[in-house]
Each structure stands twice: as C-alpha cells, then as structure tokens.
Amino acid sequence: MKQKYTWHVLSFLLPFVVVVIISIANGVYPFGDRCLLHIDMYHQYCPFFTEFMHKLKCGESLMYTWNQGLGTDFVALYAYYLASPLNFLLILCPKNHVIEFMTLLTWIKISGCGLTFFLFMKEHWGLNPRSLRCGVAVAFSTAYALSGFVAAYSWDIMWMDVVMFAPLAIMGVDLLIRQKRASVYYVSLALAIWSNYYISIMLCIFLVLYFVAQLVIVEHLRPLDYLWATIRFGGYSLLAGATCGVLLIPEMLLLSYAGSSTDTFPSRMEWYFNFLGEVGRSCVTGSVYTGGDHWPNLYAGSFVLLLLVLFALNREIGLRKRILGIAGVAFFLVSFSNNQLDYMWHGFHFPNSLPGRQSYLYIFLVLILGYEELRHIRGTKIWQAIAAVVLWIPILIAGAVTTDEEVTEVYAFALTALFVACYGALLIIYKLARHVTRKQVMILACFVVVCEVIIHFSVTGFYTTGRSEYVKKTEDYGILLGWIKEQDNAKKELDGGLQFYRVEDPQRMTKNDNMLYDYKGATVFSSLMNLNVSHFYQSLYMEGGKNYYCYNGATPLTSAMLSVRYMLYDSGTEENAFRHVVAQSGDQYLYENTYCLPLGYMMEEEAIEAWDNSDLSNKLGNLNGLAYALGASEPMLVNCTESAQQSVYGGETTLTMDSEGYYYAAYRSCSADRLEMNTSEGRSRVFSKTTHRYLLELGLCQQGEEISLTNSDGEAVEYSVYRLDEAVVRQAYETLSRQTMQLLNYGDTYVEGDIHVDWEGRLIFSIPFESGWRVYVDGEEVQAEAFQDAMISVHLTEGKHRIRLQYETPGIRTGALFSVIGICGFALLILLEARYRKHENERKEKL
C-alpha cells in the first residue's frame, strides 16, 4: 500500500474497528441476540427499509405504496428516509437480514465520517503524508466520527450521510475560493441534500457562514476575486439544490399535508438553559439526550475545551481568524439555547424530540479550531496552558454542583476535569521537552485522545434491543398472509372477483408493521403522515397525533369504512359476532371481520351534510352521529357507566358487567401509557400508548364478567363504559353497502372499477385525499372532493359508471426538469471552466 494513503485507510479503519468491537461486546447479531434498532430505527426505519427492498426486488412503483397507513406517496417517504445512494444495495440483501444490512450501513457511515473529516484536514492544511501531523489529524477525525452527535443519533441512519458528506462540502468551499474548482463542492453538497434534505438545511446555513468567514480570512484576494467567488458559490449551490429537485419539489408539496406544516415562528424569545448546562453536554461519558427539552449533544473530546481557550490566546494565529472562530462557537452556543435561533436552524420547525440536530456542525467547528491551535502550538505559552486548566476546573465544578443528573451526571464533569488536567499536563511537558521527546509526547497525547473518545462512545453509543423479539412473528405472519393471498387467488379463478382489503394487528409491535410484514393496513407512524387523516381518526375516537394515526379504538363500523377485512391476534379467544378465526400459525391467529366495505362505497349527500364530526371534544357524539346519519334511530354506543359496577384499588380498576354485550371503555383521566386487561373469562389484552386517548375495546363480555384494567403507574383510574348496539352497526353498514364499487383492477398507482348508482350521492374511497390523485368518471377527469377533509370522494349521478383513479407524485415532473437543468448546468460550467483554464495555460506558455 502506498504510504500516502496509509492515513486515509487508518482514518476509516480506526472508528470501524471500534464500532465493530463495541457491537460485539454488546452482543449484536451474529455475536449475540441483540441488534442496533433504537427509537425510530426500531419503529420506522427498519419497516421502511424492508418496504424499499420489497419494491426494488419486485419491480414495484416507487411513486406510491399501499403498505403505509391507508396509502401514501413513496417519493416523499424516499426523500425523507431512504434517499441514501447506499440503500440501493438492499437489492442484494437477503429478505430476513434487513437489520444486519442497516447495522453494516451504520458502521460504514460512522467510519466514513472519520475518512471525510481527515480528507478535509489534509486538503485544508495541506498535510504531508510523512508528517506526524497526519497522525494527529487521524485522532481528530476519530473524535468527529465518535462524537456526541454520532453517539446520540447514529441510529438515525439517514442523517449520517449528511454528517459524512459535510466535511467534503466544506472542503469544496475551500477549493472553490482558493483554487476556483467547484466539482467537489457541487457533488458533495448535492449528495448531502439528496441523502437527507432536512439535515442538509443546517449544513447549507453553515456553508454560507463558513464561506463568508473564509472570504474574510483568506489573504491575497483581489476585489474581483471576492465577486467571482461569491458568484461561483451561489451558482453551484443553486445547481446542487436544483439537481435534487426531483425529490425536493414533491417533498415540499406533500409536506403541506403533514403535521410539521402547522409550526409557526415563535413570537416570544425564550432561553432554554445557561452556559454551564451546555458545558455539561460537552462532558465525556455524559449520557446522550434525545428527549424534548432541547439539550444538544456537544461532546467532541475534553481536549477541545482546553484547545479552544488556547486558540483564543494564541497570537501566532491571525486576529481575524481567532475572532471569527470564537464568534462562531459563541453563535452556536447561543443558537442551542435560544428558541428563535433554534427554530431557524431546524428549518423553521420545532422538532418533537432529538434536539440540537445542528450540533454535528458545532463539533466540526470546535475540532478544526482545536487543530488550528495545535498547528500554532509554538505560540502557546506555558502560563496560558496553566491558565486554561485553571479556568476550566472551576467551571466544571460549578457545572457539577448545578447539574440536573437526568441530563448530565456529576461523574461526567469529574471525568472531564480529569482529562482536561491530563491534557494540560501533557501540553506543559511538551513545551518543556526537547524536539525528539516532543514527538513522543504528541503521540501519547493522540493515544489518550483516541482512548477518551472510545470510552465515551462505548458508554453512550449503540443502544441495543432484542433481535429475536423483533422478528419472532415473521414466519407465522408470512404463513397467515400467504393464506389470504391463496384464498384471493382461488376466488379470482372461480368468479373473476378482485378484492381490496386491509389487515390490522391490535398487538402490533410498531405502527409500521404493515411495511415490515408486507400487508395493506390502516396505521402509520411517519413525519410525513397526512394530518387530515389523523384528525379524522381522532374524531372517531381512534388514535391520532401529529405524526401518527392508528387503528386503535376502531368500532366495527369505522373498521368497515376503512376496508379492514382481516385481524391478526396472538390469542384464539377473540371470536364474536364481529369476527371469526379463519387460520392459525403457531400462536398467531387470523380473524376475518364480519363487516368490511370495498375500497369504494356510496353515501348520500344528505347523510354527509347531516354528519358533523368537527367537534373533537365530543367523539362519542361523532360516532353516534355517523350512525344516525346512516339511518339509525338509536345510538350505536350506549353509555353503561352507571350500570357497570366499578371498583378501584391502587392501579387496578375492576369493571363488572350487568349484562352480556360488546363493550368499550374510555378513561376519564390517566397518565399511564400502558394498560393491561384481564377478564374472569380468561381473555387478556395490552393497550399501548393509552395517553393518546382512544376507545379501549373490551370485547364481548358475559353477564357478571369482571374486567380488570391495570396500569403500572399505580394510578386510580375511573372509566366510562359503553355498550355497542350490534343492530345499529348492521343497519348503518347495510346503508353503506347497498351501493359499492366492483373492483376491476388496481396497482401501486391506479384503481379501476365499475359501480351502478341507484341513488345519486358521493362515492367515497378509503384512500387519503392528496393532490397526486386524479379521478376519471367514464373516461372524463372530474374534480375530486375531500370527504370530511380526509378521504377521496366524487359525486356520481344515477346510472352505471366506470371509475379510474390515477396517482402521480405532485411536482415530480417539474422536479425532474430542475434535476436535469442542475446536472446539465454543472456539466456545462465545468466544461467551460476547463476550456478557460486550458486557454489560460496556453497563453502563459506563449508568454
């Protein structure tokens, strides 16, 4: 291996070996039964990766998917979660090893951060491969790869591409200004924006600030050079953004349906925490923070704290560089603490959790300032090193005294103080030592730095969960879902009938299980979720929120309206008038619902006008109002709270039913997020995320049967109890099922069917209303309407009609045009610049 590439390889291999060893020590599969699935990687990314792999291998459309919620645009999902070019390697991944693919990808991206940071340092400072400074640069690049941001968010796998490409984009700014070469800048920025446009927003803000700082710092620039550098920077930035237009424009259009679109700029300025709190977030082994209280993860190494003070004091470093460097650090610290700046850094949006998402750029900045100090270490005096240590020790002590241990532990301050003192001692020894000894001291210091960041990452990074628990249902669900497909194929061969149905699992592991196991469902957890559908769910006493909607709380009528035909349970005791067992595999049972409407069904305009579900404070009234609008003369849910005996003891509430019936319950006040139900008849069920307030399905209860509802928080909880009137459900269902669409064909992006209308009204589809859908009636495009602001609907007159729905991602054609312009514009400019340089070189040779 050529010596000049040794340091490059080491900058990648060192963090790679570290994360692999940590994974082995944590028992990550195949070295144990753990996996790196954590938070959203568990609930979102693994299902999304699985769906993407399925589409790639089966050749399905990448424009739309039925396997997320009631259906959603896949281009937007891809742009936000799956756009890393490396993800196309999923096509080579075995079906049951998506988790391992994601693990390997995490290792590679963390290690790639080390390599790209080293490449930046080598180019920015022109490092000689034979110089010890390259070894120091590897220590710094390892600190970047194993930083507090990476320890906290490495599981946020789509963000890591941007963290990896960021040093290259910043290096591209240097090349653009100093060498007038734009290729590295354009390509790396385009890759970053393509991989994850959201985290790239922060990178773009930083690039503007860095570019301005470099114009101030770089010497020997003529006035015209400033102008042309600005034009190049702006032009190639726009071209990089335009290149990603095929993803960005559809994403912007579809975000208007999501919960994040409701955020507004804060009118009042607030401060989250003080300087000591931020120092705590920079401490070694301090726990990572991913909650909702805005605490950033700022750890970059204890040595950086010392070097920043010395950087400010070192007169060998230009005054402009020192002022801009310290001002940049101060600006970041203020931004983490100030609500308005925080809002702007996060793309004019307040994140629900996972705060300080721009902290990877802060870490980048403090590391390059620290390295700048080491390059000018001759300008550092021994008294300055002592003063820096003396400055930090009382700050760290004060931080330890005032810290909230749920955020940063006291021992983290103590350990950081110890490391700061150690680095201070090494620096003093270095200054006192001879030239030969200094090299050995520097090597020792680099060794300590690497050991420190490894210790931090070992303690705070790579949370794991049980792999077997995550995949335990895969085989049984595959068999049961395969049984459904066999039944559908047999029916299609027998009478040519085609069915569209959804499947739900009340005991789901994630809200994206439909992607994980490949079935059409009615539940989703995604930042891109259609907020109007969530509001529709909530109005019907189902589970809904800013970034999720869920089948929990559905009644047989609402379930039928969502075309949910099958249910998956881990118990065979759920048979009743509304569902019955049709198949079993292992300890998993497949039920078929008694009531299920096709994908399209008619509702009279008078009934639609009569049903008002806008009052979210009267969800029971909304449900009964629906039944009334559909012709019922009695309420669908009857309040039986007074007749049901209720006793509360500690965290357990016992309900005793006075008559046989199908019952639901709703708590009056409860902060517990999990309730366990056990009955005297041997039935049991777990209700998760109960703080989201949805109807609790108690099921079919016998007279005198006792229902025990237990919460782990020990709260005394009282419930309202409701009995479902089956006759009302049947009557309402029959009203909707009188006129339904016969499905002729459907695919990822289209639905086609016939319907004979006896009474004119509205054809309603259980498909979210989004602008990408176009509706054709008898070959003519018509204007679709939003049923209750949530579902696609279209008015039909009496007679027979051929219906076709066609989907195309909004803005994808315009976005594709921008992408072509961006790529062609870049190619043209590079060609023109190459010809200009060639002409200039020829002219100089003639002179």
Side-chain angles (χ1 to χ4, degrees), residues 464-707:
T464 62
T465 189
R467 185 182 187 277
S468 295
E469 183 68 19
Y470 195 81
V471 302
K472 69 178 183 180
K473 296 181 180 179
T474 302
E475 184 177 350
D476 289 333
Y477 276 18
I479 293 171
L480 295 175
L481 295 169
W483 181 89
I484 296 175
K485 291 178 182 178
E486 290 176 2
Q487 297 299 307
D488 281 355
N489 291 335
K491 180 176 175 57
K492 187 175 181 180
E493 290 179 4
L494 183 65
D495 57 17
L498 184 64
Q499 289 187 342
F500 183 100
Y501 59 86
R502 293 189 172 97
V503 181
E504 266 301 327
D505 178 9
Q507 308 301 316
R508 68 188 64 80
M509 184 170 55
T510 78
K511 283 184 169 62
N512 292 300
D513 276 10
N514 40 358
M515 282 189 157
L516 199 60
Y517 301 116
D518 186 25
Y519 63 81
K520 296 182 286 293
T523 297
V524 63
F525 167 39
S526 168
S527 297
L528 304 173
M529 170 220 73
N530 189 314
L531 189 61
N532 292 328
V533 177
S534 178
H535 290 161
F536 179 73
Y537 272 44
Q538 291 175 70
S539 74
L540 296 175
Y541 230 141
M542 296 169 68
E543 185 182 356
K546 190 175 182 179
N547 55 9
Y548 60 87
Y549 59 80
C550 181
Y551 183 81
N552 288 341
T555 64
L557 180 58
T558 51
S559 176
M561 293 174 69
L562 298 175
S563 306
V564 176
R565 178 171 295 278
Y566 296 101
M567 303 291 292
L568 292 162
Y569 280 94
D570 56 7
S571 167
T573 61
E574 296 294 335
E575 283 194 302
N576 50 61
F578 300 107
R579 67 179 68 97
H580 60 280
V581 175
V582 293
Q584 178 185 358
S585 178
D587 58 357
Q588 302 299 319
Y589 295 81
L590 179 68
Y591 291 76
E592 184 172 2
N593 288 333
T594 305
Y595 302 111
C596 177
L597 290 165
L599 186 62
Y601 49 88
M602 292 289 293
M603 191 169 177
E604 294 183 16
E605 294 288 355
E606 292 79 3
I608 294 174
E609 292 178 8
W611 182 40
D612 180 9
N613 69 329
S614 59
D615 187 359
L616 293 182
S617 64
N618 186 22
K619 299 176 181 180
L620 186 68
N622 294 338
L623 282 167
N624 286 329
L626 174 61
Y628 288 135
L630 294 173
S633 58
E634 300 291 334
M636 183 172 66
L637 288 167
V638 181
N639 195 326
C640 301
T641 306
E642 296 298 326
S643 59
Q645 297 180 21
Q646 188 164 174
S647 62
V648 181
Y649 181 77
E652 182 178 2
T653 302
T654 302
L655 305 171
T656 305
M657 304 308 175
D658 69 333
S659 61
E660 180 182 343
Y662 204 88
Y663 287 91
Y664 290 83
Y667 61 76
R668 297 171 186 176
S669 176
C670 179
S671 60
D673 212 28
R674 174 187 170 93
L675 296 171
E676 294 184 12
M677 183 188 85
N678 292 283
T679 78
S680 57
E681 297 293 324
R683 293 185 298 114
S684 63
R685 184 180 294 183
V686 173
F687 300 104
S688 61
K689 297 296 181 183
T690 47
T691 52
H692 294 168
R693 294 196 74 92
Y694 56 86
L695 270 181
L696 307 177
E697 185 181 4
L698 305 182
L700 179 62
C701 302
Q702 304 300 319
Q703 183 177 6
E705 184 174 354
E706 294 184 347
I707 312 294

Side-chain angles (χ1 to χ4, degrees), residues 356-418:
R357 301 179 184 185
Q358 74 274 33
S359 58
Y360 73 98
L361 296 164
Y362 166 85
I363 290 166
F364 176 90
L365 177 62
V366 296
L367 284 171
I368 64 171
L369 295 182
Y371 189 80
E372 185 71 26
E373 157 59 22
L374 285 183
R375 291 183 69 249
H376 297 87
I377 197 169
R378 286 177 300 181
T380 297
K381 312 299 182 184
I382 292 177
W383 72 265
Q384 292 173 337
I386 296 172
V389 173
V390 170
L391 173 67
W392 276 114
I393 296 300
I395 291 176
L396 292 167
I397 292 173
V401 171
T402 59
T403 187
D404 178 354
E405 286 216 59
E406 292 186 1
V407 178
T408 305
E409 300 82 356
V410 171
Y411 67 77
F413 286 94
L415 193 56
T416 302
L418 183 63

Side-chain angles (χ1 to χ4, degrees), residues 829-840 842:
L829 286 177
I830 291 299
L831 180 62
L832 290 175
E833 287 192 7
R835 292 185 63 180
Y836 174 77
R837 288 195 184 91
K838 181 180 179 181
H839 175 75
E840 283 295 299
E842 290 175 352

Side-chain angles (χ1 to χ4, degrees), residues 754-822:
D754 283 340
I755 185 170
H756 190 278
V757 180
D758 294 320
W759 302 277
E760 71 172 288
R762 194 97 62 88
L763 176 61
I764 299 167
F765 297 91
S766 57
I767 302 172
F769 181 88
E770 292 176 356
S771 58
W773 283 106
R774 304 176 74 176
V775 181
Y776 298 86
V777 178
D778 301 325
E780 298 290 330
E781 184 175 359
V782 297
Q783 184 65 45
E785 300 177 66
F787 172 68
Q788 302 299 343
D789 296 326
M791 306 297 179
I792 298 173
S793 68
V794 60
H795 184 84
L796 295 180
T797 57
E798 295 177 2
K800 187 175 181 180
H801 300 286
R802 173 64 54 89
I803 308 297
R804 182 175 178 85
L805 276 67
Q806 187 73 43
Y807 187 82
E808 181 179 286
T809 298
I812 196 165
R813 297 191 185 191
T814 304
L817 178 61
F818 272 92
S819 293
V820 170
I821 292 173

Side-chain angles (χ1 to χ4, degrees), residues 70-85:
L70 299 174
T72 190
D73 185 275
F74 196 81
V75 172
L77 185 79
Y78 172 83
Y80 195 85
Y81 294 102
L82 298 165
S84 170

Side-chain angles (χ1 to χ4, degrees), residues 23 101 194 263 452 556 638 664:
S23 298
F101 176 86
W194 182 277
D263 285 348
E452 181 199 338
V638 181
Y664 290 83

